[in-house]
């Protein structure tokens, strides 16, 4: 099948996942980025100390999502009647008959379950690397799952949705913002920051290096 | 990354290799599973376009009822009304809320329809040599992948409104049938865009015939 010599050489190559261009890896310096010359996809973007930052941010995300799920995030009042709604309420707004129940579950997954799962997976994978330990079992599967879930983590979209809903209700009733609204706003910034700090190439490289029996 | 400008770099496939789309590790082309991350490897999926079209069709199919059924059922003391996506926007515009009406029309009509057209154009462009440059088509695909998730905002707004506006007899909002179809349409369109392999845009050469396993004799 493969020549043993090829195998070591392949380690020094990188294929752009978006356009298949093949490059010899030349690791960029701290805060520099290696970009595909053809399609401009960012291939490598290492940052020193990013690991600890990412773990810290992921922990914050978990705490915030759990807290934001419980506290009310918007409150309306009109003519003396008030109603406060938490994120869980919003997700379960659809819970009616059969198909709507599915939609309720999907919404809950997109705005709460998947963001939390991603944060937990990232902690699981990266925390050992930060402390120079061997990766935990199945770390590469965990990181792969976390990456696959990335487009489906929609906490930040939900936060913008809150703003739109605010405008729509404004002429129907008086709206006030609950504590969870602000937690979610912070969360949006954190999720975006986390994705831009994370250099996938560095993580895969580290997992590969650490997993190798010595 | 070194590459002469203006000249296309060698691809993994040209070099008899396959790159992992998840972790960018390179393997001999016959490798089936990435040894670093465990992702399934395939230099080019011969069925990629079929998958794109399959998801695309269900996505478009769901978008039709999403526009026919009401998105929101609003009930207040004085009246109750069902609003479709376009109907709701027109209503807002008539009340003088032009800004929001335009935002809604862009987010729920222009962007979804634009996504359908772009994905179809990309898939057709692979089959029948597109006149558009590779760079442009690649950028279009990235935009569609990026924007796709944001269409979910409509469904979230419906969820927020109908959980929030539950004020007994004074006012109540309930999600309409269309919210379900709209959510499905967004999800299917996202899957369609994900199924599209952007590497196909850059493959100007026809795919090499898959070598029979026997030809790849063990060393």
């Amino acid at each position: 099948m493969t020549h043993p010599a090829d195998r070591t050489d392949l380690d020094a190559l990188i294929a752009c996942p978006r356009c298949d261009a093949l490059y010899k890896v030349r690791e960029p310096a701290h805060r520099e980025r290696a970009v595909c010359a053809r399609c401009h996809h960012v291939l490598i973007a290492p940052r020193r100390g990013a690991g600890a930052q990412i773990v810290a941010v992921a922990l914050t995300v978990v705490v915030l999502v759990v807290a934001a799920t419980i506290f009310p995030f918007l409150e309306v009042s009109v003519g003396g009647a008030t109603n406060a709604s938490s994120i869980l309420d919003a997700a379960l707004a659809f819970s009616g008959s059969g198909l709507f129940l599915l939609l309720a579950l999907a919404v809950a997954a997109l705005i709460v379950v998947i963001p939390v799962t991603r944060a937990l997976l990232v902690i699981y994978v990266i925390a050992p690397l930060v402390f120079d330990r061997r990766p935990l079992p199945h770390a590469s599967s965990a990181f792969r799952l976390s990456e696959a879930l990335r487009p489906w983590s929609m906490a930040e979209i939900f936060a913008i949705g809150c703003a739109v809903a605010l405008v729509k209700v404004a002429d129907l009733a008086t709206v006030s913002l609950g504590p969870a609204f602000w937690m979610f706003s912070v969360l949006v910034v954190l999720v975006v920051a986390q994705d831009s700090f994370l250099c996938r190439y560095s993580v895969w490289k580290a997992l590969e290096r650490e997993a190798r029996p010595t | 990354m070194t590459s002469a400008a203006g000249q296309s770099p060698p691809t993994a496939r040209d070099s008899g290799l396959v790159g992992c789309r998840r972790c960018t590790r390179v393997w001999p082309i016959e490798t089936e599973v990435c040894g670093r991350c465990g992702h399934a490897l395939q230099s080019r999926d011969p069925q990629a376009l079929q998958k794109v079209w399959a998801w695309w069709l269900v996505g478009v199919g769901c978008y039709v009822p999403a526009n026919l059924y009401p998105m929101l059922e609003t009930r207040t003391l004085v009246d109750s009304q069902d609003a479709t996506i376009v109907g709701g926007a027109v209503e807002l515009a008539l009340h003088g809320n032009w800004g929001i009406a335009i935002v809604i029309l862009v987010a729920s009509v222009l962007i979804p329809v634009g996504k359908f057209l772009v994905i179809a154009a990309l898939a057709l462009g692979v089959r029948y040599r597109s006149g558009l440059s590779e760079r442009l088509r690649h950028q279009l695909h990235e935009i569609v992948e990026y924007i796709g998730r944001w269409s979910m905002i409509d469904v979230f707004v419906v969820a927020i409104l109908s959980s929030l506006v539950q004020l007994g007899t004074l006012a109540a909002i309930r999600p309409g049938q269309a919210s379900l179809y709209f959510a499905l349409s967004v999800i299917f369109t996202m899957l369609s865009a994900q199924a599209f392999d952007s590497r196909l845009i850059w493959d100007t050469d026809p795919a090499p015939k898959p070598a029979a396993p026997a030809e790849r004799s063990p060393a």
Side-chain angles (χ1 to χ4, degrees), chain A residues 16-21 23 35-43, chain B residues 9 134-135 138-139 142 198 202:
Chain A
C16 174
R18 313 287 307 196
C19 77
D20 211 30
Y23 302 100
V35 177
C36 175
R38 186 157 77 162
C39 73
H40 298 228
H41 179 73
V42 177
L43 296 169
Chain B
E134 283 97 350
R135 264 310 293 287
H138 191 93
Q139 280 171 346
E142 290 205 326
S198 55
W202 300 91

Side-chain angles (χ1 to χ4, degrees), chain A residues 18 20 22 83 85 144 151 153, chain B residues 10 12 37 44 149 163-164 198:
Chain A
R18 313 287 307 196
D20 211 30
L22 190 65
N83 181 43
S85 158
R144 198 154 51 86
S153 166
Chain B
C37 73
R44 297 295 181 276
R149 320 161 52 233
S163 72
L164 196 59
S198 55

Side-chain angles (χ1 to χ4, degrees), chain B residues 67-152:
Chain B
N67 276 286
L68 296 179
Y69 286 113
M71 193 80 169
L72 278 178
E73 293 165 11
T74 315
R75 194 174 47 73
T76 59
L77 269 180
V78 280
D79 68 337
S80 81
Q81 53 178 339
D82 297 350
T84 58
I85 294 173
V86 178
V90 170
E91 185 107 340
L92 280 169
L94 289 177
H95 279 83
N97 266 326
W98 280 99
I100 303 172
I102 290 171
V103 169
I104 292 175
L105 280 181
V106 169
S108 343
V109 180
L110 208 64
I111 290 179
V113 172
K115 275 189 305 186
F116 295 137
L117 293 179
V118 169
I119 295 174
L122 289 172
L124 290 173
V126 169
R127 173 83 32 106
Y128 313 98
R129 295 288 169 84
S130 173
L132 303 172
S133 75
E134 283 97 350
R135 264 310 293 287
L136 182 64
R137 283 187 284 149
H138 191 93
Q139 280 171 346
L140 281 175
H141 182 238
E142 290 205 326
I143 292 170
V144 164
E145 275 215 303
Y146 179 78
I147 274 186
R149 320 161 52 233
W150 284 90
S151 296
M152 246 357 221

